[in-house]
Amino acid sequence: MDAKHSSSPDFIAARLLAWYDRHARDLPWRSKPGEVADPYRVWLSEVMLQQTTVAAVTPRFTAWTERWPDVASLASASDEDIMAAWAGLGYYARARNLVKAARAVVAEHGGRFPATEAELRALPGLGAYTAAAVAAIAFGERAVVVDANVERVVARLFAIRTPLPGARPAIREATDRITPDARAGDFAQAMMDLGSSICTVKRPQCLLCPIAVDCQARAEGIAETLPAKAPKKKRPYRHGTVFWIERDGRVWLVRRPDKGMLGGMRALPTGPWVDERPGLEDAPGAGPWTMLNETVVHGFTHFELELALARTDGSPDDSCPGEWWPIANLGTAGLPTLFARAADLLKRA
C-alpha cells in the first residue's frame, strides 16, 4: 500500500475513529456505546461549551439537567430562572436563545428536535457550528463540524498557513474532505477529543497522535505555530460605576434591559459605561455615597471595563425599579460574574 493511499481521507477517518473507540472522553452529555444520543443533551452541551471549558461546564450541565431534564421542562421555565441558572457561564445571549429555541421546538416541532442540519439552523441561536454538531452527533447526519479544536487539528494536518479568521474557508473545505459518510458524529467528537488532549495549542503530543503520519505541519516541523492568528487589535477601555444600596441586611438589585450587555440579568445598578470615569453620574439615589479605593476590571469580547465601586445606606430613587435581596442569600440571585465580584468587595466595605 503506497503512502498516498494510506493517507487518503478514508484512512485518516478510519485511524481517528479507531483511536476514538479506545480513548473517547467520558462526558455527561455523551451517549454510551450502543445508546442513542439525546438531542437535548447534545444541543445543551454544545451551547454551554461555546467559549467555556469542559471542566467549567461539566458540573453546571449536571445541575441544569437535573433541574430541566428535557426540552419541554426547559421551555416551560421562566426567563428569570434560566438567566439566574446561567450566571457565571458568560455570553448571556446564549441563554436567551436557549429558551427561545426550546420553546420553538415544543411549539413548532411537537417537542422533538428536527433531525436535519438545515431545520436545526432555523431554530433561534443555532448557528452553523451548533446545527452541524447536533445533526451529526444526535442524528447521525453527515455534517461538517468545525470548532476551535477541529480548526487546530485540520490547520496542522494540512499545513494551512493563512492566519485565522481568513483560513476558515480552507479549513472547512479540508474538514469536509476527511469527514466520513458513516459515523460523522463520532468523527466530530474524535476530532474534538484529539484537539483537547493531544493536538493541543502548546506542546502537541505528536507521538501519541493516531494521524501523525498524515500531518503535514508535523513533517515540516511547524505544528506548534499553527493555526496562525492575525494580530489582535487592542480592545478599547471603558469606565463605569457600580452602586450598592443597603438597608436592613438587604441590597437593591435591578434587572438589566433585555437587549444589550448582560441583558435580562439581575445586577447591581450602574451608571453609563463610557471612555472617561463617570463618577456618580446617574447614581440611583441621593446618597451620600462612599467610593471604595478598589475597582473591578472585566474583559468583554470587544472592550475592557473598569468599574468603580460606590455604596450607601438608604433607598433608591423611584426612577430605579428593582427589588431588595437578602445579602446573606446574594449567591442565589444569579448575578453575572462581573457584578458578583463587585458585590464581594462592596458587602465587606
Side-chain angles (χ1 to χ4, degrees):
M1 183 180 296
D2 61 35
K4 183 177 180 181
H5 187 205
S6 66
S7 295
S8 70
D10 288 346
F11 277 86
I12 291 172
R15 279 193 290 272
L16 189 61
L17 286 168
W19 172 83
Y20 179 73
D21 288 339
R22 296 191 301 272
H23 300 290
R25 288 179 291 179
D26 183 14
L27 300 172
W29 46 85
R30 279 189 181 168
S31 57
K32 306 297 183 186
E35 292 181 350
V36 177
D38 181 347
Y40 171 71
R41 296 174 73 87
V42 173
W43 164 68
L44 177 62
S45 68
E46 291 298 342
V47 175
M48 283 188 166
L49 285 165
Q50 293 167 23
Q51 309 291 335
T52 315
T53 65
V54 168
V57 165
T58 298
R60 301 295 296 274
F61 177 89
T62 300
W64 187 287
T65 50
E66 287 175 353
R67 185 173 185 181
W68 297 300
D70 51 38
V71 70
S73 58
L74 182 61
S76 64
S78 70
D79 291 10
E80 180 176 296
D81 285 346
I82 289 169
M83 297 305 291
W86 192 268
L89 286 170
Y91 297 89
Y92 292 95
R94 292 180 296 163
R96 293 193 292 274
N97 283 327
L98 200 70
V99 69
K100 289 178 183 177
R103 290 168 183 165
V105 169
V106 170
E108 300 169 19
H109 300 277
R112 298 175 66 88
F113 276 86
T116 68
E117 185 177 1
E119 289 176 303
L120 288 162
R121 280 295 303 270
L123 294 174
L126 270 76
Y129 166 75
T130 305
V134 175
I137 297 169
F139 297 107
E141 182 177 90
R142 187 190 183 279
V144 181
V145 183
V146 184
D147 71 352
N149 280 316
V150 177
E151 279 187 345
R152 184 166 59 256
V153 171
V154 173
R156 291 171 177 175
L157 187 62
F158 294 96
I160 298 172
R161 292 175 169 80
T162 305
L164 293 172
R168 286 189 173 130
I171 289 173
R172 178 178 173 78
E173 190 276 332
T175 308
D176 193 0
R177 291 203 309 271
I178 61 174
T179 298
D181 292 332
R183 298 188 68 189
D186 286 345
F187 177 81
Q189 292 177 110
M191 291 285 277
M192 296 173 193
D193 283 8
L194 188 71
S196 174
S197 62
I198 290 179
C199 195
T200 48
V201 175
K202 296 181 179 179
R203 295 183 292 277
Q205 301 179 65
C206 297
L207 292 177
L208 300 178
C209 179
I211 54 175
V213 67
D214 309 295
C215 184
Q216 295 180 33
R218 177 176 181 260
E220 297 174 26
I222 59 171
E224 198 166 347
T225 70
L226 297 179
K229 294 182 180 179
K232 285 186 177 181
K233 295 180 180 179
K234 187 175 181 180
R235 289 184 292 184
Y237 212 81
R238 295 182 186 172
H239 301 271
T241 303
V242 64
F243 298 97
W244 177 276
I245 305 174
E246 182 175 335
R247 187 175 70 190
D248 300 329
R250 298 173 298 165
V251 62
W252 189 251
L253 298 183
V254 299
R255 179 79 58 182
R256 293 187 61 81
D258 287 337
K259 294 184 179 180
M261 302 300 296
L262 309 176
M265 303 293 292
R266 283 196 193 96
L268 297 168
T270 71
W273 295 356
V274 290
D275 293 337
E276 302 294 333
R277 292 182 175 87
L280 297 176
E281 183 180 342
D282 287 348
W289 294 98
T290 300
M291 300 291 294
L292 274 62
N293 291 325
E294 298 169 280
T295 63
V296 171
V297 177
H298 186 82
F300 289 101
T301 304
H302 300 297
F303 65 94
E304 295 275 344
L305 176 66
E306 181 182 35
L307 287 178
L309 308 175
R311 62 167 293 142
T312 190
D313 297 319
S315 299
D317 288 341
D318 292 339
S319 60
C320 180
E323 59 186 320
W324 290 108
W325 198 276
I327 296 172
N329 296 330
L330 197 54
T332 65
L335 298 180
T337 301
L338 164 65
F339 290 100
R341 290 169 54 208
D344 283 343
L345 295 172
L346 284 158
K347 69 184 179 183
R348 295 198 299 265

